[in-house]
Amino acid sequence: MLVVNFYRAILVFTILLISGCSFFSSGKASYEQVVEVKINTGLNVNPDRNNRPQPVKVCIIETRRAGWLPPGVYKGEICSGLSGLTDIVTFENYIMAPGQSRTYRTTAQLPELYTRWIVIGAEFQKGVGEYSLIEKMIVPDANFKMEIMAENTSLTVL
């Protein structure tokens, strides 16, 4: 009798798998979203006191809320102290030389649609300027792509 019940259970399980039903399905759709930001630095980026170009620290931060500011923004430390912050989805820091290009790219499997924001920041030697921080919304149901130029002491969306 035990063997017959075992075979019946296997038969029912096999029929469910073949028909496309699964006990493990959550019923929620998953969305893949690609976020890509290309960063370029100009030949005169981050000038020192003698107006000679210097490498610049650039960060890209994905966050869960609009208007988010890095904790060290008023000290000129936009890209520092980001680990462990609850509003951050992910972040990446780069040290970029004059005339260099880098591409930040993430691909996420999202269990549900939700809005995120991308924040691009740069730590210039002359301090935080008017354009040291850029924020853009990432639309939930589409891929996101943008290009940034770091020139002199500011960031510009191309």
Side-chain angles (χ1 to χ4, degrees):
M1 184 63 145
L2 182 62
V3 173
V4 172
N5 286 336
F6 177 73
Y7 285 123
R8 284 184 185 163
I10 288 180
L11 179 64
V12 169
F13 184 72
T14 305
I15 290 171
L16 288 174
L17 285 177
I18 291 172
S19 69
C21 297
S22 173
F23 292 114
F24 308 110
S25 176
S26 67
K28 291 184 179 179
S30 179
Y31 304 94
E32 181 177 276
Q33 186 176 43
V34 176
V35 174
E36 186 175 291
V37 179
K38 183 176 181 183
I39 306 165
N40 306 298
T41 54
L43 295 177
N44 64 341
V45 72
N46 200 21
D48 63 10
R49 286 184 292 204
N50 298 318
N51 281 331
R52 290 180 301 217
Q54 303 294 311
V56 63
K57 187 173 186 180
V58 177
C59 54
I60 300 175
I61 306 154
E62 291 182 49
T63 182
R64 291 183 176 88
R65 66 180 175 90
W68 179 88
L69 291 175
V73 70
Y74 298 111
K75 295 186 272 181
E77 299 171 357
I78 294 172
C79 302
S80 303
L82 301 175
S83 295
L85 297 177
T86 57
D87 286 329
I88 292 179
V89 175
T90 186
F91 71 94
E92 193 73 40
N93 287 326
Y94 303 109
I95 304 294
M96 296 183 63
Q100 189 177 17
S101 292
R102 298 288 293 266
T103 300
Y104 167 86
R105 188 174 202 275
T106 60
T107 303
Q109 287 284 29
L110 304 174
E112 56 192 50
L113 295 175
Y114 68 93
T115 303
R116 295 185 322 234
W117 285 262
I118 192 106
V119 177
I120 297 96
E123 294 182 3
F124 297 109
Q125 288 188 39
K126 293 183 178 176
V128 177
E130 186 178 355
Y131 301 107
S132 297
L133 205 58
I134 294 174
E135 177 188 72
K136 295 285 183 184
M137 184 175 83
I138 300 172
V139 179
D141 58 349
N143 292 332
F144 180 86
K145 194 173 198 173
M146 75 184 295
E147 189 169 352
I148 300 290
M149 177 63 127
E151 187 76 38
N152 204 341
T153 59
S154 66
L155 298 173
T156 307
V157 178
L158 299 178

